[in-house]
């Protein structure tokens, strides 16, 4: 990791990485050097201590956030002085506009509660559905969930649900938080 602010991400299909790249680019454009960093990489407690802000973007798989995100949060929660946390859960439930907040998104709400987190910022971001890329098992599991929630079940469907304006707004809030102490 360099001296830039890491935008940690946990991704399986690359879409969450794209979201982290967008956030990092937005921060950099605002004068905050930032870079996307795969949460699966080696990480020590010391790497998080000097951070002015902790950003984690994590995908959902089979109803749970990816283990790399959980491992990163294990390190984060053991810090004596935790930097403020910006947390984003990437899941298809967030495709519904009313399911994008920590209060209304069941995955994000449960994650925050289970981990006993107090994020400075939290959001659920809709991901991308690409049935042709999924294994038979994954496709059937996702189709089952989409059937229950009134979503797309066509096995040839490719749908990007991500609200990129919402991603930009989330990044802009991070910019405000990171820059606030230096403006005083």
């Amino acid at each position: 990791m360099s001296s830039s602010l890491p935008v940690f991400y946990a991704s399986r299909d690359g879409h969450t990485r794209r979201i982290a790249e967008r956030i990092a680019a937005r921060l950099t454009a605002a004068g905050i050097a930032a870079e996307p960093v795969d949460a699966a990489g080696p990480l020590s407690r010391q790497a998080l201590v000097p951070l002015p802000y902790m950003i984690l973007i994590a995908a959902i798989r089979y109803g749970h956030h990816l283990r790399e995100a959980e491992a990163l949060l294990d390190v984060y929660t053991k810090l004596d002085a935790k930097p403020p946390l910006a947390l984003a859960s990437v899941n298809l439930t967030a495709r519904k506009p009313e399911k994008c907040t920590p209060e209304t998104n069941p995955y994000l709400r449960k994650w925050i509660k289970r981990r006993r987190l107090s994020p400075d910022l939290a959001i659920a971001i809709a991901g991308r559905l690409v049935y042709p890329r999924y294994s038979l098992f994954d496709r059937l599991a996702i189709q089952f969930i989409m059937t229950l929630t009134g979503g797309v079940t066509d096995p040839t469907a490719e749908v990007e649900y991500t609200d990129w304006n919402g991603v930009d707004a989330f990044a802009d809030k991070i910019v405000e938080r990171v820059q606030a102490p230096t403006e005083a």
Side-chain angles (χ1 to χ4, degrees):
M1 232 177 333
S2 69
S3 63
S4 62
L5 183 63
V7 178
F8 293 104
Y9 67 87
S11 183
R12 278 297 169 272
D13 300 315
H15 192 71
T16 300
R17 183 188 71 239
R18 283 183 54 215
I19 292 169
E21 289 168 349
R22 175 80 167 241
I23 291 170
R26 189 94 175 175
L27 270 61
T28 300
I32 301 166
E35 66 177 326
V37 175
D38 191 341
L43 184 70
S44 69
R45 228 175 126 141
Q46 291 75 25
L48 298 182
V49 170
L51 293 181
Y53 210 82
M54 168 80 172
I55 305 164
L56 175 59
I57 318 301
I60 291 277
R61 193 59 136 212
Y62 307 121
H64 300 281
H65 288 91
L66 298 179
R67 69 177 175 265
E68 333 41 292
E70 295 290 355
L72 180 63
L73 285 176
D74 285 343
V75 174
Y76 173 80
T77 57
K78 291 175 184 162
L79 295 175
D80 295 328
K82 295 172 193 57
L85 174 65
L87 190 62
S89 172
V90 180
N91 61 75
L92 291 175
T93 301
R95 72 186 186 281
K96 299 177 180 182
E98 69 276 8
K99 298 287 185 179
C100 295
T101 70
E103 297 78 27
T104 61
N105 186 277
Y107 296 114
L108 182 56
R109 182 178 63 241
K110 289 176 189 173
W111 199 27
I112 290 170
K113 183 178 180 182
R114 182 177 54 80
R115 297 301 308 228
R116 294 185 180 108
L117 299 172
S118 298
D120 183 49
L121 294 172
I123 189 172
I125 299 170
R128 184 172 180 226
L129 180 65
V130 188
Y131 281 121
R133 281 178 47 197
Y134 303 144
S135 69
L136 177 62
F137 178 79
D138 286 346
R139 188 175 68 247
L140 292 174
I142 294 168
Q143 285 174 313
F144 175 71
I145 293 166
M146 293 299 260
T147 297
L148 294 176
T149 61
V152 175
T153 58
D154 174 358
T156 64
E158 296 185 30
V159 184
E160 185 168 321
Y161 292 105
T162 307
D163 172 8
W164 291 104
N165 290 330
V167 171
D168 290 345
F170 181 66
D172 291 346
K173 287 179 185 176
I174 295 170
V175 167
E176 290 171 12
R177 302 303 209 285
V178 172
Q179 290 180 340
T182 60
E183 295 173 358

